[in-house]
Amino acid sequence: MIVVTFCLVGCAATHYHERQLDHVTFYLRAPGAENVEFVSSLDAYNPLRAKRLKRSRWAVTVTPGSEFRYFYIVDGSVYLPECDLYEKDDFGSRNCVFVPER
């Protein structure tokens, strides 16, 4: 059984992305975080370590060829930001959905 915990209390994170021609950069503001990972269906849900830009802002750049699902792991806990689209996953939770054309 896989147990997933969500960072809901004290995790005042904000999330946005910027589209470029061939890639998308996702930003997460996570005050107090020591480690942030971006997890997506682009690479079989293998965590991709985000780069700390400033004390509380993190970034990760990906090259989406098509729609994909994603979430973050902040200091070892799963964090699902507010997203335009969600989809239920196989574990009773949700993932954000990124659609390149949108």
Side-chain angles (χ1 to χ4, degrees):
M1 176 180 213
I2 296 177
V3 177
V4 178
T5 58
F6 284 87
C7 178
L8 295 175
V9 179
C11 189
T14 57
H15 156 81
Y16 65 98
H17 63 270
E18 292 180 345
R19 298 171 196 248
Q20 308 300 319
L21 289 176
D22 62 345
H23 63 275
V24 179
T25 301
F26 287 85
Y27 297 94
L28 182 70
R29 185 177 175 277
E34 294 296 321
N35 185 47
V36 173
E37 295 172 306
F38 181 81
V39 184
S40 77
S41 60
L42 286 172
D43 55 2
Y45 295 96
N46 289 312
L48 179 61
R49 188 174 181 121
K51 179 180 177 182
R52 186 190 311 245
L53 301 178
K54 293 188 178 182
R55 288 180 46 162
S56 63
R57 196 168 129 202
W58 301 77
V60 64
T61 300
V62 297
T63 305
S66 61
E67 177 179 298
F68 66 92
R69 284 92 187 113
Y70 69 96
F71 59 90
Y72 293 90
I73 297 177
V74 178
D75 291 339
S77 296
V78 172
Y79 175 72
L80 185 68
E82 290 190 29
C83 304
D84 291 336
L85 295 172
Y86 294 98
E87 181 177 274
K88 288 185 179 181
D89 66 16
D90 295 337
F91 304 104
S93 189
R94 300 184 304 170
N95 291 321
C96 292
V97 178
F98 178 81
V99 180
E101 304 82 38
R102 207 164 177 197

